[in-house]
Amino acid sequence: MKQKFPGLFLYFLLAIFILNLLQANFTQLLFDEAYYWYYAKDLAWGYFDHPPMVAWLIALGSVFFEGELGIRFLSCVLSIGTMSIIWVLVDHPKKRDYVSHFFVLILSMTLVHAYGFLMLPDTPLLFFTALFFLAYSYFLKNPGFLAALFLGIVMAALMYSKYHAFLVIFFVLLSNLRLLSNPYAWMAVAVSLLCYGPHFYWLYEHDFVSVNYHLFERPNRPYEFFDFTLGYIINLIAIFGLTFYWIYQALFKNNDDGLFPRALRFVAYGVLIFFLVSSFQRRVQTQWIIVICIPAAVLVYNYMLNHGQTRKWIFRMGLLNILILFFLRVGLVYEPLFPVVFETHGNKTWTKEITSQVGDIPVVFENSYRMSPMFSFYSGNISFSLNNVWYRENQYSIDKTEETVRGKRVLYVSKYLPDRDISFTMPDSTLFYGVYKDPFISYRKLRTEIINISSMDTEIPVIFDLYNPYPFAVPNDELEFGLALLDSYKQLIEVIPIKAEPSEDYSPLIASEAHRKFQFLMPELPIEEVAYVKIVISENGLRWGLNGIKTEID
């Protein structure tokens, strides 16, 4: 062990691991962590927003510990694994002389630091990106059956972590096109596809819902330089904090020879360029570029070992970064230290405020896949996110949670209720209202698709198909229909109620797994910016749902 890892390295690693365990235990959940905990309650080969790795890790960690520590335990383990792999990937005779510089470099990277104790999809993404580079370096040195098997399994694990992982694999291939003629490389691809097969099948069974959402259904807005492109540049600075100048300088000046350093550079540069281009179309989130931290850590540390001035400045500014990050880490637990109200603050308080008024009855949150799992985690109550046309689909749209609240007395929570039975305030001072519904009945999985809309003629009936996926019949008289108008960025403009009549023999019930045709006359569209329309449904007076497949209009 000490041949690869000097004693000082292991002491640092142990201290970081213990610190992360303590942080994981005493910090309340992020909303996204609660959402992935909700994933883990029903293990599957896929979920609406992401592949399943984050859910699997949460489920496994919860075997060993309860509460927040159970959710985050394996993030702490993967974090020290990531650091250890990066250390191994650095091939430099002087690296043992600068162990403290190595840890300052790694821990000064903002999100790498944070994902040392937070359990999000990017946590396994970082680990398996590092492991992928380790597998690739081994493959370059010893191409053969075992190397291909190892590389294929790691590629699958990488893709099970997050879809963005494809960029890592693609740019490594681009750095070494000779792999296309290497039979062992093709074997690695075959192994990867075989391991990833269950997720492909899950996507097929769920109508490729994740792919459709991320590529086609996600709303956007007009290009804004300051928020999109300038925001992306600010993210590039934020990801490295005060060390950003020296890290990028070292990253771009590193000219180490060989296929492996070339692969590291291709991934780092490729991801940066890919998301720069993307920033001209949509807002790029900081965590989307986090994979560059792995190749950057290897390339920059190698450069630091050869250049004293760079080593000195990254060490100095990195220590300042770490001091700031540790101050913020304390603030995640002790609220007065944090400069703003953050999402790890007060979740137990607002949850308790609700349960003290409603007891253990289920709670339905309007348009909040964030609040619903957080409430369920800290209260133990059943909860559900009822998504409508002003929001977006999520895991609650495709799983069976709706069945746990249908027909029951529930508290319906929204910011927009005209009347209320209870109210409560979130830590950021947002006021929410709750009203009892008894019984609560929703049919959010009903699906509609316009069949003929070749003309906007208001005299020609428009026909749409209504599909009932439920194992029971749905009453016609509980449904109202609306025409949702969307702009070219798929943003909702408004919903126009329509009078839809069955275009075939009338039946008061829509049978289980049956299709029913309806027709209506297209109203005059009041806004020129309308680019898409879709049919939405209000059942039992609930706000319009997310039922329809959008149809482009001329």
Side-chain angles (χ1 to χ4, degrees), residues 69-90:
L69 182 57
I71 290 175
R72 295 169 172 153
F73 173 65
L74 287 179
S75 66
C76 303
V77 174
L78 292 185
S79 174
I80 62 170
T82 301
M83 295 179 193
S84 301
I85 294 169
I86 293 172
W87 176 263
V88 172
L89 290 174
V90 175

Side-chain angles (χ1 to χ4, degrees), residues 216-219 450 453 456 483-494 522 525 527-535 549-554:
F216 307 114
E217 297 295 331
R218 185 192 288 267
I450 295 174
I453 194 171
M456 295 304 295
L483 185 69
L485 313 180
L486 295 85
D487 63 20
S488 59
Y489 297 97
K490 307 181 187 74
Q491 295 281 1
L492 180 69
I493 300 172
E494 65 173 297
M522 177 67 71
L525 299 186
I527 299 174
E528 292 183 0
E529 290 77 16
V530 178
Y532 302 94
V533 295
K534 61 182 179 181
I535 305 298
I549 297 174
K550 71 179 186 300
T551 301
E552 190 171 6
I553 62 174
D554 298 328

Side-chain angles (χ1 to χ4, degrees), residues 24-25 27-29 66-72 348 377-378:
N25 184 65
T27 305
Q28 293 181 42
L29 294 186
E66 296 180 349
E68 292 92 346
L69 182 57
I71 290 175
R72 295 169 172 153
K348 293 180 180 179
F377 178 81
Y378 283 114

Side-chain angles (χ1 to χ4, degrees), residues 326-338:
F326 270 109
F327 176 81
L328 294 176
R329 285 179 66 155
V330 175
L332 293 178
V333 181
Y334 184 63
E335 299 173 25
L337 280 184
F338 212 81

Side-chain angles (χ1 to χ4, degrees), residues 340-510:
V340 295
V341 175
F342 194 60
E343 57 187 274
T344 60
H345 299 154
N347 292 312
K348 293 180 180 179
T349 302
W350 68 261
T351 300
K352 186 176 181 180
E353 190 175 351
I354 296 175
T355 55
S356 67
Q357 299 178 75
V358 305
D360 59 358
I361 73 168
V363 178
V364 174
F365 291 88
E366 180 184 81
N367 289 350
S368 189
Y369 72 88
R370 292 157 58 86
M371 291 177 66
S372 177
M374 186 73 81
F375 173 78
S376 187
F377 178 81
Y378 283 114
S379 70
N381 285 19
I382 295 171
S383 66
F384 176 61
S385 175
L386 187 79
N387 309 310
N388 64 42
V389 73
W390 287 271
Y391 197 50
R392 75 165 183 89
E393 289 190 301
N394 47 62
Q395 184 62 23
Y396 288 96
S397 304
I398 65 172
D399 66 16
K400 297 180 180 179
T401 309
E402 185 182 35
E403 310 305 320
T404 65
V405 295
R406 184 185 293 110
K408 295 184 178 179
R409 182 173 187 257
V410 307
L411 181 76
Y412 185 84
V413 171
S414 171
K415 291 187 288 187
Y416 308 107
L417 293 175
D419 301 307
R420 77 289 310 254
D421 294 312
I422 74 161
S423 63
F424 66 94
T425 304
M426 293 292 287
D428 64 359
S429 300
T430 303
L431 187 61
F432 280 83
Y433 309 108
V435 62
Y436 293 106
K437 289 185 178 290
D438 189 11
F440 172 80
I441 299 177
S442 66
Y443 309 116
R444 289 284 127 142
K445 292 182 182 178
L446 293 176
R447 285 292 172 259
T448 62
E449 181 175 7
I450 295 174
I451 297 174
N452 71 325
I453 194 171
S454 58
S455 169
M456 295 304 295
D457 193 326
T458 58
E459 301 298 323
I460 300 176
V462 177
I463 299 175
F464 68 89
D465 177 77
L466 172 63
Y467 172 63
N468 173 19
Y470 293 106
F472 53 83
V474 173
N476 255 331
D477 60 4
E478 294 185 19
L479 309 180
E480 296 179 11
F481 298 98
L483 185 69
L485 313 180
L486 295 85
D487 63 20
S488 59
Y489 297 97
K490 307 181 187 74
Q491 295 281 1
L492 180 69
I493 300 172
E494 65 173 297
V495 178
I496 301 175
I498 57 174
K499 184 173 178 58
E501 301 289 346
S503 60
E504 48 198 30
D505 292 340
Y506 175 78
S507 172
L509 296 175
I510 304 169

